[in-house]
């Protein structure tokens, strides 16, 4: 296998697992290649995935968005893939997804930045997962900041077996009172 093909397959592997669009500079640094080599390889990957030059058109595409490149499901497969993710895929939510979902459920409407601030970690990929599974939705966009605010969906209520968010348990009885570690002085 020549080095061009190796570079393309390496970039393909990175893009397959990337949660966010990857810029050409990021990709070049990751694979220790020049910007021109990465740009040419990405162009060949786009053509390969699109079925040009006699290759088979794939069910996904490599798209340039938000200053970077990311693999997406082709629009003609969106409905089927969304149905699979929401109803057919029995995988459980990760701990990070459950924590993020809890923050959104109790604090909604809430922006991604506010959720990240509460959890003290980046929640971009987790929010995308929750959106993809139909458990949260974009409630509105803040007119001053442009931040998208999120809320829960009826699907979440159905999955939890409750009729409204008012039926969620109160958090205060579950929280530590903060007295641990402080001894009473005589």
């Amino acid at each position: 296998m020549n080095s061009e093909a190796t570079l393309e397959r390496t970039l393909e592997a990175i893009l397959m697992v990337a949660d966010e669009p990857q810029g050409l500079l990021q990709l070049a640094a990751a694979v220790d290649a020049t910007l021109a080599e990465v740009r040419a390889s990405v162009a060949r990957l786009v053509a390969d995935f699109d079925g040009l030059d006699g290759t088979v058109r794939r069910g996904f595409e490599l798209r340039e968005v938000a200053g970077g490149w990311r693999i997406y499901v082709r629009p003609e497969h969106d409905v089927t893939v969304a149905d699979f993710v929401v109803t057919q895929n029995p995988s459980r939510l990760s701990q990070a997804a459950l924590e993020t979902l809890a923050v959104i459920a109790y604090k909604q409407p809430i922006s991604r930045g506010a959720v990240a601030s509460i959890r003290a970690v980046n929640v971009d990929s987790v929010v995308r997962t929750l959106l993809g599974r139909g458990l949260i939705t974009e409630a509105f966009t803040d007119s001053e900041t442009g931040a998208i605010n999120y809320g829960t969906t009826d699907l979440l209520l159905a999955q939890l077996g409750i009729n409204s968010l008012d039926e969620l348990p109160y958090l205060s009885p579950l929280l530590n009172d903060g007295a641990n570690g402080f001894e009473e002085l005589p």
Side-chain angles (χ1 to χ4, degrees), residues 27-172:
L27 292 170
V31 298
D32 194 30
T34 68
L35 189 58
E37 291 170 327
V38 170
R39 183 178 288 117
S41 289
V42 166
R44 285 190 297 273
L45 282 173
V46 169
D48 180 23
F49 296 168
D50 287 347
L52 304 177
D53 301 325
T55 59
V56 175
R57 186 169 189 256
R58 309 274 179 87
F60 53 87
E61 63 186 337
L62 183 55
R63 222 186 292 161
E64 186 175 15
V65 292
W69 291 88
R70 184 158 180 240
I71 293 177
Y72 288 90
V73 172
R74 290 199 184 273
E76 61 265 29
H77 303 298
D78 274 347
V79 173
T80 304
V81 171
D83 179 58
F84 174 79
V85 170
V86 173
T87 61
Q88 304 298 320
N89 188 357
S91 65
R92 296 174 181 252
L93 292 174
S94 67
Q95 185 68 33
L98 290 171
E99 290 171 8
T100 300
L101 187 56
V103 170
I104 293 170
Y106 280 98
K107 303 286 279 179
Q108 66 183 302
I110 187 169
S111 69
R112 186 182 310 217
V115 174
S117 177
I118 291 169
R119 292 207 49 240
V121 296
N122 185 327
V123 297
D124 292 348
S125 65
V126 174
V127 168
R128 266 197 308 281
T129 297
L130 296 172
L131 281 166
R133 292 194 182 194
L135 299 174
I136 64 171
T137 188
E138 295 179 357
F140 63 92
T141 301
D142 187 294
S143 61
E144 290 182 21
T145 65
I148 298 171
N149 282 258
Y150 298 93
T152 55
T153 64
D154 290 340
L155 177 61
L156 175 67
L157 298 178
Q159 297 265 338
L160 293 176
I162 60 176
N163 294 312
S164 80
L165 293 172
D166 295 332
E167 295 179 43
L168 287 173
Y170 291 107
L171 287 178
S172 52

